[in-house]
Each structure stands twice: as structure tokens, then as C-alpha cells.
Amino acid sequence: MRLFDTSFAATFAATVPATLTDMAKRSLDRLLQPLDEHQRQALEEQISQDPIRAKQLIYAISGSDYVLQSCCRKPSLLFDWLLAGATDHPLTPREILHEIKTACSDERSLVEFDALLRHLRRRFISALYWRDLNGLADLQEVSSAMTAMAEGFVQQALHFHYRARVRKYGMPIGTASQMPQPLLVIGMGKLGGAELNVSSDIDLIFTFPESGETNAKAGQKAIDNQQFFDGLGKQLIKSLNENSADGFVFRVDMRLRPYGQSGSLTSNFQALENYYETQGRAWERFAMIKARVIAQVAMPDSSDSTTNTQRYVEQFYQIVQPFVYRKYVDYSTVESLRQLKAMIVQEAHRLGLADNIKLGAGGIRDIEFIAQCFQLIRGGRDRALQERNLLVVLDTLESMGQLQTQEAHGLRCAYIFLRRLEHRLQAYQDEQTQNLPEDELARARVAWLMAYDNWAACARDLKRHRDVVSHIFQALIAEPGSDQEGIAKQLSGYQSAWLSLGETAQQYLASQDFSDAASIVSALQQFKQSRNVMSLSASAREKLDRLLPQLLYTVAGLDKSEHVLQQLLTWLEAIVTRTSYLLLLVENPQALHHLVKLFASSSWVAQTLTQMPSLVDELLYPDNLYSVQSK
């Protein structure tokens, strides 16, 4: 590679760690291959003479295969955009929205329109990855730019397809008002909170004010408003979501709409209100906190139409407001959160998501839950909490004294760290993933992009942040009346007993309502020396060492506690090599409580679970435990 015959070699050596040298050189070689001689020479000259730009290029194409592929497919993107200074200044929402609107202002065919959206998306995303991977953009810039992109593309696709359907069917008119009807697009999740991540899908809900029919004229076919807007929604989704030769714009997820995938694609206001009044579930309250109108059809030019459109937006918020925020201090939210968290832990266990920085313990979702739980408890009374952006909510909770300064600081730092890490995981293949890499090379690349010397250092800080989040989260959802300080002291005592299993351990267990502490110590020693336990990896042993104190604490004080514990140890010995079960019980005290309750209540259940350990998957799911199943 002629590049390494220039001053670029020194920049490369100072930028890339030895473990990633071969990978980075392969990326550079791929970048040069599709270039003609003139382009190659121009690139070599520029980055040899500009060490800063050279360093940025190395980070961008080594950290994002998407950027590399984009530059290989369209070298003009590299020369006319990325190397021409476009990445030197922040990508502002105003700039992004203006460029999208200007580019989409001309009349085009559907094929041309969809291709244009994908071209714009590739330019913006490549520039944003470039800035993010080089530490030029903070989380606020990245999230705001991604949110603006989503809003701009949704708005333009909505206008394009609305006009096309009006030409074919006429304008949808409300039966009661006799006014033209718009479609409101509701952004949910991070889109609603203006905190979208770099390769996120977008969660949407479609709604319109009134039922009615289109005012078809000669040559047009009249259809009802539901049919008009359902078709509009499908076309909008296709323009954004379809993966063509030019790629896609945004993956669209509609599962948060009323009745989920089985419900209508669009709902009028009356249907929406009826649903949330009679069918809305606890998890939907959490989801609707971030609901925000991100796009609506621009109605025919007149002051009346502008006023009506704004009135419809306000009417939507009036529908969801009482569903989300109660007028009283709503402590039932904590129990809803416990149940919701249990469901997520169960699903994470099933899918093996312990290393998922969003759904795993102490991950992004837990931080969101902490903020949203306070919002649902007190947001009906304290309107300052009716805020969509998570970092703003944490600031508000701190100022209100609901979170201690140290807690709020810990959650902010953890959130920013986890989101930065999430972006580096997603940038490589431009895919929606929050799973930590497993192979050493990928880990080394992520650590380098996170400004660490190695993966071990990055993993230590990751664990520290997740531990902070887990501690705050567990305190928030603790059972009513629980003495957290007392529990922590008892768990520490059980931890010492489990690790030592000597005379001191026997004395401590006797002080904790175990009538035959000697037999307990003997059973624990036998379990610890069993073949399965002795064969555990260091990681699995660490999980077991966290689980046993919790198990002893949960069993203590039960009738026939020694007998129950012996049965549990027999079961545990059978499944101990399946670390996913250990993790499930460690991270979900409710699951452990249900398991102990099962063993204590029925010898038959204990025997069956020992013979068929995998049944615990179903039996630990609270909804299945105590409900009568229909035939």
C-alpha cells in the first residue's frame, strides 16, 4: 500500500493499537480498491498531508463497516462529503430538516422518491458515524441528529403518499366536523424522547381524528377514512422500511399500537380513547410517557386548517394524558414495574441476553424504568415530571429530591456510557444490536473506540456502571416494608457463611432461625464438593457465590427450612452447569422467591422439578403460577 510510504505511516502507527493493525490495514485496502488512479492519488495526498483527517478516516472505516462500504460504493461520498469538511461542524436538527425538505420539494416518481430518501440517509448516517467514532459529537448531538432525520423522513414520506392518495380517492372528510382529516404520526420510545440511537428502529402509532369518507370527484373512487389511512400507513412504512438495492431509511415497528400486531394499523380518536380507557395495560403507560406527535399532514393552506391541525394534536395529548398520569400519587406503579421487570428478565433469560447492555441487569432499560417509575408515581401531581427526555427527567428528579445527588450522577454517567457503547456496537454493521461482542478482535475494536487500552479495562468500567444502576433499581422495586440495610447485612453474613462453611458459619446460621445449623453446613459442604459444582468455570462460580447467600436468606425461617434447602440443593446440583438459570435467579429475587415457595409448598413439585429441571422456565413465570388456565 503506497500510503505507508508517506508520513501517513506515522499517523497510522500512533492511532491504531498493535492488536488491530491488520484489521485496520485491510479496511484501508478495501477503501482503495474501487478508486481509480486519480482518486487514489488524491486520497493519498490529502491524508498524508493532513494527520487529523487521516486519523479520523482510520477511526471511521475501522469502526464502521457501513461507512467503509458506503465510501466504496460511492467514492463521491468520501471526497465531496466526509473529507471536504462536512464533518467538521455539528449536524444540527435544523440543518438536517432543511436539507431533507429541500431535496424532497421537487415532484418525483415513487421509485425516485424512495431512492432519494435512502441516498440522504446514507450521507447523514455516514457523517454522523464519522463524528461519533472520532469523539467529535456528544450524545446530545447524535441523538438529536438521528431524531431529526427520522422526523424529516417520516414527514416527507407522509406528504408524498397523502397527496398521491388524495389524487386517487379524494380528501378524507370527518363525518361530524365535515373538515379534511389529517393523519398524525406518533413517535414512541427514544424517537418520542428525541434520543434516538444510531441504528434504531422507530416505534410509531398512526391516528386520525374522525371516521368518515373521502370526497371523491369525477374519476376518483370514494373510500372510508379508515381504509384511506390504513393504505397511507402501509405506503409510508414501505417507503421507509423496505430494504432495496439502495438500503433502507428506518426500520419501522408498529407493535405499540392498540392491540399490537392484531389491531388496525390506524385508529381514530374515539377508538384510541376507548382502548386506553378499557384495555390499556401497565406496560403501555410506561411506553406512552414518550409519545409525541412527530409528523402530520399539511392540510390545504388556510388559517382554519392550520388551527384545526394544531387542535387535533392537542386533542391527541388530551386522550393519552389521563391514561399515563394519574391525579393522585400512584404507588401501584412500583408493583407494575416489578411485574414488567420480571417479564423482561424471563425473556432475557430465554434468549440468553445477560450480555445485552439494554435488557440485561443494570442496562439502559433499567435506567429508563427508574425514571419512568418516578414519572408515573408523581407525574400527575408534579407536571415537571411530564417530560420525555430521560436525562432531563433525571435532572428534575434530583432537583426535587426524589433522587440523591450521588444517585442521579451515577445514573447519568451510566446512561451516557452505555449509550456511547451501544453506538459503537451498532456502528460497525449499522445494525440494531446491544449485545457485547464475544470474539477477542471485536472486543479489542470496541475498547479502542471507547478510548480504552484493552477490553478488560472497558469491561471493568461497564460492570461498575451496571452495578450502580442495579443497586438503585433494586432499591426502587424492593418489596414494601423491606429493610434494605438489614437485608444487605444479612446477605453479607450468609455470604461469609457460604464461603467458609466452618464453625463460624454454623453459629451464624443458628442465629438466623435454622434449627439444625450443623446439618445445613454439612449439606452445603457436600453440595460445594459435588462434581458439577467443582467443574464450574470462574464466571459460573461467581454467579453461584452470589446466589447461595440469597437462597439461604429466602429459606431462613420457613417451616422445615433444612428439608426445603436440601431439596433445593439437590435441584440446584442438577442445573448448576446451566449458568443461565443461575443468572436468572441472581438477577430476579422475585423468581427465587417463587422457586422457594414452590419447593416449600409441595414435595411433589420439588421431586418433579428435580427430575425435570427445565420446567422452572414456565413455573418461575408469575402469571403461570397462580392463575387457572382455560381449557
Side-chain angles (χ1 to χ4, degrees):
M1 214 182 297
R2 289 183 304 181
L3 270 175
F4 289 91
D5 296 331
T6 69
S7 59
F8 171 79
T11 302
F12 182 89
T15 302
V16 182
T19 52
L20 298 175
T21 297
D22 290 343
M23 180 271 296
K25 285 185 175 180
R26 286 195 298 270
S27 296
L28 283 166
D29 190 47
R30 284 177 58 194
L31 180 69
L32 292 171
Q33 282 179 2
L35 304 183
D36 60 35
E37 186 61 30
H38 175 72
Q39 291 170 329
R40 184 176 300 198
Q41 184 176 350
L43 175 63
E44 291 174 350
E45 288 179 359
Q46 181 168 357
I47 63 177
S48 294
Q49 296 169 8
D50 188 346
I52 293 177
R53 195 75 73 196
K55 182 178 179 180
Q56 292 176 357
L57 178 67
I58 293 167
Y59 270 105
I61 65 173
S62 300
S64 174
D65 205 49
Y66 175 82
V67 173
L68 177 58
Q69 290 177 6
S70 297
C71 292
C72 289
R73 286 181 57 179
K74 200 176 228 8
S76 61
L77 180 66
L78 176 64
F79 291 102
D80 300 340
W81 185 250
L82 300 178
L83 293 177
T87 58
D88 292 343
H89 60 85
L91 288 168
T92 66
R94 182 177 180 180
E95 173 189 352
I96 291 168
L97 290 170
H98 175 74
E99 183 163 348
I100 292 174
K101 184 177 180 179
T102 302
C104 295
S105 60
D106 297 334
E107 291 294 327
R108 287 179 171 82
S109 69
L110 175 58
V111 172
E112 292 171 335
F113 176 78
D114 286 352
L116 173 63
L117 296 188
R118 284 153 178 76
H119 168 70
L120 290 171
R121 192 256 187 197
R122 189 170 291 274
R123 286 181 62 200
F124 286 131
I125 292 288
S126 295
L128 197 59
Y129 279 151
W130 183 293
R131 285 185 56 78
D132 189 31
L133 293 171
N134 280 284
L136 303 174
D138 61 13
L139 179 61
Q140 175 63 33
E141 179 188 330
V142 175
S143 299
S144 296
M146 287 301 305
T147 300
M149 265 186 270
E151 291 179 12
F153 289 135
V154 169
Q155 186 73 65
Q156 294 307 316
L158 180 61
H159 288 174
F160 181 92
H161 291 294
Y162 188 87
R163 291 193 300 267
R165 288 184 76 76
V166 167
R167 287 193 295 269
K168 185 174 183 179
Y169 301 110
M171 183 79 69
I173 303 297
T175 299
S177 68
Q178 288 299 300
M179 294 294 295
Q181 298 293 291
L183 181 72
L184 304 187
V185 180
I186 316 302
M188 306 290 287
K190 288 186 171 64
L191 174 56
E195 49 200 8
L196 207 61
N197 48 295
V198 290
S199 189
S200 177
D201 59 4
I202 52 176
D203 295 294
L204 303 178
I205 292 176
F206 298 144
T207 184
F208 60 96
E210 297 178 44
S211 58
E213 190 177 78
T214 61
N215 61 352
K217 297 179 176 59
Q220 296 178 327
K221 176 186 176 183
I223 58 175
D224 65 52
N225 289 355
Q226 182 77 51
Q227 186 179 352
F228 180 95
F229 288 118
D230 280 353
L232 174 59
K234 290 177 183 177
Q235 291 172 324
L236 187 154
I237 292 170
K238 186 176 181 181
S239 276
L240 299 176
N241 190 78
E242 188 172 62
N243 202 346
S244 69
D246 296 311
F248 64 95
V249 184
F250 276 97
R251 291 173 288 263
V252 179
D253 192 335
M254 299 295 300
R255 289 177 295 177
L256 294 182
R257 69 184 187 268
Y259 301 105
Q261 290 176 311
S262 62
S264 299
L265 188 62
T266 65
S267 301
N268 63 45
F269 282 179
Q270 183 178 354
L272 203 67
E273 187 169 19
N274 289 341
Y275 175 81
Y276 289 124
E277 283 183 352
T278 62
Q279 304 289 326
R281 290 159 289 181
W283 68 263
E284 288 176 298
R285 290 184 64 204
F286 283 88
M288 291 302 293
I289 286 175
K290 292 183 181 290
R292 179 170 62 91
V293 178
I294 64 163
Q296 64 267 358
V297 174
M299 305 306 294
D301 294 334
S302 74
S303 58
D304 287 344
S305 65
T306 302
T307 302
N308 281 328
T309 300
Q310 184 57 38
R311 179 170 60 85
Y312 291 141
V313 172
E314 293 171 359
Q315 191 175 344
F316 165 76
Y317 288 130
Q318 290 168 3
I319 290 171
V320 300
Q321 177 82 6
F323 170 66
V324 178
Y325 295 108
R326 307 294 194 242
K327 293 181 179 179
Y328 50 85
V329 178
D330 183 14
Y331 287 108
S332 68
T333 297
V334 180
E335 181 57 34
S336 298
L337 180 58
R338 289 192 191 106
Q339 296 172 0
L340 186 55
K341 176 61 176 177
M343 292 170 62
I344 291 174
V345 169
Q346 181 77 3
E347 188 66 11
H349 159 66
R350 288 181 185 277
L351 300 177
L353 299 179
D355 285 336
N356 185 295
I357 63 170
K358 177 180 179 180
L359 300 179
I364 295 169
R365 180 59 58 81
D366 282 1
I367 303 175
E368 293 172 337
F369 276 159
I370 291 168
Q372 290 167 353
C373 190
F374 280 110
Q375 288 180 277
L376 293 184
I377 290 173
R378 300 184 178 277
R381 292 284 186 91
D382 298 307
R383 294 184 65 86
L385 288 173
Q386 295 180 18
E387 166 64 47
R388 299 180 183 90
N389 186 275
L390 185 139
L391 290 175
V392 174
V393 174
L394 292 180
D395 289 343
T396 303
L397 289 171
E398 181 183 4
S399 67
M400 293 173 61
Q402 295 298 316
L403 285 174
Q404 297 178 8
T405 297
Q406 184 178 1
E407 292 175 326
H409 176 73
L411 291 173
R412 277 192 295 267
C413 292
Y415 182 74
I416 292 170
F417 180 93
L418 290 168
R419 291 295 306 276
R420 287 184 64 244
L421 178 57
E422 177 186 44
H423 288 173
R424 278 141 187 78
L425 296 175
Q426 295 179 344
Y428 186 60
Q429 296 288 352
D430 189 38
E431 62 180 358
Q432 188 184 18
T433 180
Q434 287 90 16
N435 291 325
L436 295 174
E438 297 181 356
D439 68 274
E440 294 301 320
L441 183 62
R443 288 182 169 186
R445 181 178 60 246
V446 170
W448 171 56
L449 296 170
M450 289 288 289
Y452 286 94
D453 292 334
N454 52 63
W455 174 253
C458 182
R460 278 196 300 271
D461 275 359
L462 172 60
K463 182 179 185 303
R464 176 172 57 82
H465 285 301
R466 293 179 71 170
D467 286 347
V468 168
V469 175
S470 288
H471 176 75
I472 297 172
F473 184 84
Q474 291 302 328
L476 177 64
I477 67 170
E479 292 290 349
S482 62
D483 178 0
Q484 291 300 303
E485 186 175 346
I487 292 173
K489 185 176 180 180
Q490 286 181 289
L491 287 175
S492 177
Y494 284 124
Q495 177 81 8
S496 298
W498 160 247
L499 294 177
S500 64
L501 291 183
E503 184 176 346
T504 304
Q506 186 172 323
Q507 293 172 354
Y508 180 81
L509 293 174
S511 73
Q512 299 298 316
D513 294 330
F514 285 102
S515 59
D516 189 357
S519 68
I520 292 291
V521 170
S522 176
L524 290 170
Q525 288 173 335
Q526 185 176 354
F527 170 75
K528 185 180 281 190
Q529 294 167 5
S530 66
R531 175 184 294 182
N532 284 350
V533 173
M534 295 289 286
S535 67
L536 292 177
S537 66
S539 175
R541 186 56 184 261
E542 185 269 337
K543 293 179 179 63
L544 181 64
D545 288 344
R546 290 169 58 195
L547 173 61
L548 258 296
Q550 295 180 40
L551 181 62
L552 290 168
Y553 170 79
T554 308
V555 171
L558 292 176
D559 291 335
K560 300 181 180 179
S561 56
E562 291 81 6
H563 176 67
V564 174
L565 181 63
Q566 182 62 67
Q567 290 182 308
L568 282 161
L569 291 176
T570 301
W571 173 81
L572 194 57
E573 184 179 347
I575 62 94
V576 73
T577 56
R578 300 167 69 171
T579 56
S580 59
Y581 285 133
L582 299 181
L583 194 63
L584 168 67
L585 296 172
V586 165
E587 293 186 351
N588 187 2
Q590 286 298 306
L592 182 59
H593 172 79
H594 289 305
L595 179 68
V596 171
K597 188 174 181 179
L598 284 169
F599 272 75
S601 63
S602 170
S603 297
W604 177 83
V605 170
Q607 182 180 2
T608 303
L609 280 173
T610 302
Q611 294 171 347
M612 303 175 65
S614 62
L615 281 177
V616 77
D617 273 330
E618 296 300 325
L619 293 177
L620 286 183
Y621 193 68
D623 286 351
N624 293 340
L625 273 175
Y626 309 118
S627 61
V628 178
Q629 300 297 314
S630 59
K631 294 182 180 180

